[in-house]
Amino acid sequence: MREFVRHPSEIHMDVKVLSEPGSRRGHLHDVSMAGLSCLVSREIKAGSKVEFYVPSITEESSGRGTVMWCRPKREKFQLGIQFYPGKDTFRARIVEQLCQIEHYRREVEELEGRIIDSDEAAEEWIARYAADFDRLFSGE
């Protein structure tokens, strides 16, 4: 049994290997308090230190971690990234945001009959609820 529950997502993300120029475009597959899984276009070796970005949530670095595994999957590569220790509050915030966005996406489909992808849901959710979420999360 997993120590951490994984929350599914399909939001676009970028992964940058800290020792290399450029980044790889990918999709966030799922996320937990310990790390995340994503699909990228090119292989990243296990043990690589990476920085990742989730542009639909923020243009700044979303976090750093270590690639624990990399497996071929169709024409892409699926990575398992373990977060660096000591950022529990940030990780909890990202996990909660992704859960809220996915809930919003499903709610829009169910209540409005409108089908939107995860990126569109993130944009709409951020525009409508991010300020309130930030206040609730920071305890202000």
Side-chain angles (χ1 to χ4, degrees):
M1 186 164 126
R2 285 194 173 277
E3 181 179 355
F4 299 99
V5 175
R6 289 203 167 271
H7 299 279
S9 172
E10 297 225 351
I11 293 174
H12 286 102
M13 68 179 295
D14 296 319
V15 179
K16 180 182 182 346
V17 178
L18 296 178
S19 62
E20 298 176 6
S23 64
R24 290 160 174 85
R25 184 80 167 154
H27 284 88
L28 183 59
H29 183 259
D30 58 34
V31 63
S32 75
M33 290 296 289
L36 61 84
S37 172
C38 63
L39 289 173
V40 294
S41 57
R42 291 181 305 170
E43 181 179 16
I44 298 177
K45 301 262 186 236
S48 298
K49 307 296 183 203
V50 296
E51 191 166 44
F52 52 91
Y53 301 82
V54 183
S56 59
I57 294 176
T58 178
E59 299 207 6
E60 299 173 9
S61 169
S62 296
R64 289 185 175 202
T66 302
V67 175
M68 301 307 290
W69 50 266
C70 179
R71 301 178 185 130
K73 186 168 185 177
R74 295 179 217 126
E75 294 88 40
K76 298 187 184 250
F77 293 88
Q78 187 168 8
L79 305 176
I81 299 174
Q82 182 179 31
F83 297 133
Y84 284 163
K87 300 212 179 223
D88 289 336
T89 302
F90 174 78
R91 291 189 295 235
R93 183 175 189 266
I94 290 294
V95 169
E96 183 59 27
Q97 265 188 332
L98 290 172
C99 292
Q100 292 294 326
I101 290 166
E102 187 58 25
H103 175 77
Y104 173 78
R105 186 188 67 74
R106 287 189 201 126
E107 190 175 65
V108 164
E109 184 175 349
E110 185 178 312
L111 297 177
E112 299 176 21
R114 198 165 46 100
I115 297 173
I116 57 177
D117 66 25
S118 294
D119 288 325
E120 291 171 310
E123 287 177 24
E124 288 184 19
W125 184 88
I126 288 167
R128 293 180 184 187
Y129 304 111
D132 292 333
F133 178 83
D134 286 343
R135 274 195 300 280
L136 288 172
F137 197 88
S138 67
E140 293 176 0

